[in-house]
Amino acid sequence: MNPLQIAILVYIVGMMIADFIILFYVLRRSLVTRRVIFFISSILLYMAVEAADIGYIIFYKGSIFSEPISLLLASIPAVLSVKLKDSSIQWRADKVASITLAFTIVLDELAMGYAFSSAFGPRLNPLISSVSNIAFGIMMLSDAIFFLAISSIKNIREFALFSFAASMAFMPNIFLTFRTYLSLVGSTVSSIIMIINIIMLYLIEIRRISFNMQLLSISLAGFDFFMMLGLSAYAAYKDLYIISISMILSMIWYFILIFYRFSDRKINIGIKYPFIFLILINLAELTMGFGESVLGFNITNSIFMTHHMESMKMPMRSPFTNPYWWIFPMNPLSMTIMSFKDVLMNSHNIIFATFWGSYILIMMTTMMPFYVIMMGAEMIYLVYERFKISKNSQIKYWAIAIMIGMPIFVWLIPYYTDFYIFGMSGMIFPVTLIGFSISIIAIIIASILFGKRAYCNLACMSAHMWTNIFYDKFKPKKNYRFWDYFRWIPFTLMLITFGYWSSMELGITKVPHIGMTAINPLDIFGMFTLNYIWWFFFFLTPIFGTYSCSRQGWCGFGTFVGLFNKIIFKIKAKNVEDCRVCNNIQCEKACPIKIEIRKDILSKGFSNRISCVGCGDCVEACPKNNLEIYDITRLFKKK
């Protein structure tokens, strides 16, 4: 480093220390005059314009006359402070005072980021340079730690704000001047922190019904999505504008939430707030899965690139020579573009090509190991929250089984072996007829022993993502007889698909094509059901309710495993007479499938319908503790 660079570092460190001293002084006081806030804003602006002018004049050879002009502009708040009536205010309840201070801090830190990038790079335009450097990352992490440390009450709100700010400190553009792999390391750390942030936002939605907390969870979900959109644009096209703008706007909102106290009035949650939250949080998760998968694929394969891959303009799969192939096996972007172009060229139908492209985009993103790990981590914690509040021992044990089974059955088995689990594994390893048969037999045996819940409430991630404390509030109010008949249509289509694929494996029929692309019916049906249709239903859970896959029957495989509910599995009454005299029928109200449990029990002493997923909500809801789950474990206990 030369003396000028050392001077810039010393200046930035000194500015950060001065900022923290000033903010510590202000935040420790609830009553401050508005004149003081404006005066402090001017001091911070003076430091900001000095930092920006130093970078501009010294490193960009800008005109020295820019400094008096910028200093004059920075004096505006000081001038206003003289004009204002000097009276004490609850400054954190005053919009003008708190928002002015928030914008001032943002400008101050952007100016420091610009000064650092002027000295050390990258020297791009001021917008990108101010946030695309390691100094900005250190400042955001320091902010997150500082505001958490001085908060008088360290509750879930404070930790949500901390993780939100900390996630910005490791975005891939922060490491633009470093080696490429550090961008991947940084973005992975950022995503891990953001996953923690998303879990906290879920918990806020569950526990808090004030306007302040709803605004916090919904707005942070929206900015998480915006930042992940920027990550995706950067990963796909090296675009720095979206990620830079998203970080600046997120930074502004973060400081507004830190300084301004929004209303804590109680509100009626209804469906509106959770619906908006779910849309934004699911978009954030989808774009995070896409961005990280594309970025990880591109960076790891650029490091471990083979001669064959160098000749390809847009490689589709990671070779086994790439040690990270198992987490970044494919490129969702290149697969989507290739599929769209291929279908458009052969069909000349833009509508169908667009549909097919969207199908491939969502399918490829939601089947990527990173997305699965991310969603699994979030849902495991929400299942743990349900475990904590469950009173029934059977439900507690099953919650533990789900938490243990999720990484085993959903991550390891479906994606990394050639044993077929409903269409997923063929995207990495070829599915053989023998492997397919073994998997189906294993699922049949498990379903006979434990009922449909062995698959739909344990092994299938698409179902058990509803088995948690947050989604529990979106149970449908009633069921329609139509779905009892409709379920046999997807079931029949599944049988036809399985039969057609088996005939292909035996050499009886030929492989179908769309354009130049060979179509594996097994993968198409499985992915269309679990990674496309399911994603939209999950996205719209407040409207369609939980377990729509089983209640509405669009999952043919769920209907298939439900047939084995009829062998051993039962929701059984300890005393049928207690059900006969029951007036509130809490079991049916709690059931996410809306099965007529009481009617079944009064007629035959138990309920074991094909649609039942064995979640145990009815057992827990029974006020007389009269219901129990009866499966193979009960047979052993009787002995």
Side-chain angles (χ1 to χ4, degrees), residues 70 107 189 270 279 298 318 339 370 409 421 480 492 563 580:
S70 59
L107 290 173
V189 173
I279 288 176
N298 290 337
S318 294
S339 300
F370 184 89
F409 295 110
I421 302 287
Y480 297 95
T492 303
L563 295 173
R580 195 182 305 278

Side-chain angles (χ1 to χ4, degrees), residues 240 284 303 313 422 561 599:
L240 287 164
I303 296 172
K313 291 184 178 179
F422 208 47
V561 295
K599 178 182 176 181

Side-chain angles (χ1 to χ4, degrees), residues 70-369:
S70 59
L71 288 173
L72 186 63
L73 293 173
S75 301
I76 293 175
V79 174
L80 289 175
S81 70
V82 176
K83 299 287 186 181
L84 290 173
K85 183 180 178 181
D86 194 17
S87 58
S88 294
I89 57 170
Q90 291 275 353
W91 73 272
R92 300 188 75 174
D94 185 88
K95 289 181 181 178
V96 175
S98 55
I99 293 176
T100 298
L101 189 59
F103 271 91
T104 304
I105 290 293
V106 171
L107 290 173
D108 189 26
E109 296 197 356
L110 289 176
M112 286 189 276
Y114 174 73
F116 181 88
S117 66
S118 299
F120 295 91
R123 293 187 183 181
L124 304 171
N125 65 54
L127 176 72
I128 295 173
S129 298
S130 61
V131 297
S132 298
N133 59 77
I134 192 66
F136 180 84
I138 293 172
M139 284 188 288
M140 285 310 303
L141 186 59
S142 301
D143 287 335
I145 295 171
F146 172 77
F147 288 115
L148 179 64
I150 67 169
S151 61
S152 55
I153 302 174
K154 294 176 176 59
N155 55 20
I156 192 170
R157 178 187 185 276
E158 302 303 326
F159 284 108
L161 285 170
F162 168 80
S163 55
F164 177 71
S167 68
M168 281 189 274
F170 297 95
M171 293 291 276
N173 58 313
I174 297 292
F175 305 93
L176 209 58
T177 56
F178 294 82
R179 291 185 179 181
T180 309
Y181 73 86
L182 281 178
S183 294
L184 178 60
V185 173
S187 66
T188 303
V189 173
S190 176
S191 294
I192 292 171
I193 296 172
M194 193 166 287
I195 289 168
I196 295 171
N197 179 253
I198 288 172
I199 291 172
M200 290 181 180
L201 298 184
Y202 270 119
L203 296 178
I204 288 172
E205 278 291 312
I206 294 166
R207 299 171 182 174
R208 308 302 172 96
I209 57 173
S210 68
F211 172 79
N212 186 17
M213 300 307 286
Q214 288 298 308
L215 176 67
L216 178 78
S217 61
I218 291 173
S219 63
L220 292 191
F223 280 105
D224 282 344
F225 165 53
F226 194 11
M227 283 196 286
M228 290 302 98
L229 197 63
L231 169 66
S232 296
Y234 174 77
Y237 303 108
K238 294 297 180 184
D239 178 88
L240 287 164
Y241 281 98
I242 297 177
I243 196 169
S244 300
I245 292 170
S246 68
M247 289 173 68
I248 292 171
L249 293 179
S250 297
M251 186 182 178
I252 292 171
W253 184 242
Y254 167 72
F255 281 111
I256 290 175
L257 289 174
I258 287 289
F259 294 140
Y260 183 63
R261 297 293 188 190
F262 288 91
S263 171
D264 252 343
R265 70 180 187 272
K266 299 293 182 181
I267 57 174
N268 181 22
I269 297 296
I271 196 175
K272 178 175 67 175
Y273 295 106
F275 182 51
I276 295 171
F277 172 77
L278 270 181
I279 288 176
L280 294 174
I281 213 71
N282 275 290
L283 287 172
E285 290 161 343
L286 189 72
T287 48
M288 188 194 305
F290 175 82
E292 284 292 351
S293 297
V294 173
L295 186 68
F297 181 91
N298 290 337
I299 290 178
T300 57
N301 283 307
S302 68
I303 296 172
F304 303 100
M305 185 176 289
T306 62
H307 293 298
H308 171 68
M309 289 190 67
E310 288 176 356
S311 63
M312 298 174 66
K313 291 184 178 179
M314 192 177 286
M316 304 293 173
R317 290 174 177 264
S318 294
F320 294 135
T321 53
N322 179 354
Y324 301 99
W325 71 268
W326 58 275
I327 194 168
F328 304 118
M330 298 182 194
N331 187 341
L333 176 66
S334 58
M335 292 290 288
T336 301
I337 293 173
M338 181 197 72
S339 300
F340 174 80
K341 288 182 176 179
D342 188 33
V343 172
L344 183 62
M345 183 177 63
N346 288 278
S347 67
H348 303 290
N349 187 327
I350 186 67
I351 296 176
F352 179 68
T354 301
F355 161 75
W356 186 254
S358 71
Y359 163 65
I360 295 296
L361 174 65
I362 293 175
M363 180 188 76
M364 292 302 303
T365 299
T366 55
M367 70 150 288
M368 286 294 102

Side-chain angles (χ1 to χ4, degrees), residues 364-414:
M364 292 302 303
T365 299
T366 55
M367 70 150 288
M368 286 294 102
F370 184 89
Y371 180 85
V372 175
I373 295 168
M374 170 189 68
M375 294 300 289
E378 293 174 10
M379 296 305 121
I380 280 176
Y381 190 85
L382 294 179
V383 172
Y384 169 69
E385 286 289 322
R386 182 182 177 180
F387 165 80
K388 288 198 302 183
I389 66 170
S390 294
K391 297 178 181 178
N392 183 281
S393 60
Q394 281 185 297
I395 310 304
K396 276 187 173 291
Y397 294 146
W398 195 253
I400 293 172
I402 290 172
M403 288 186 279
I404 295 173
M406 196 176 294
I408 296 174
F409 295 110
V410 178
W411 178 26
L412 297 176
I413 294 178

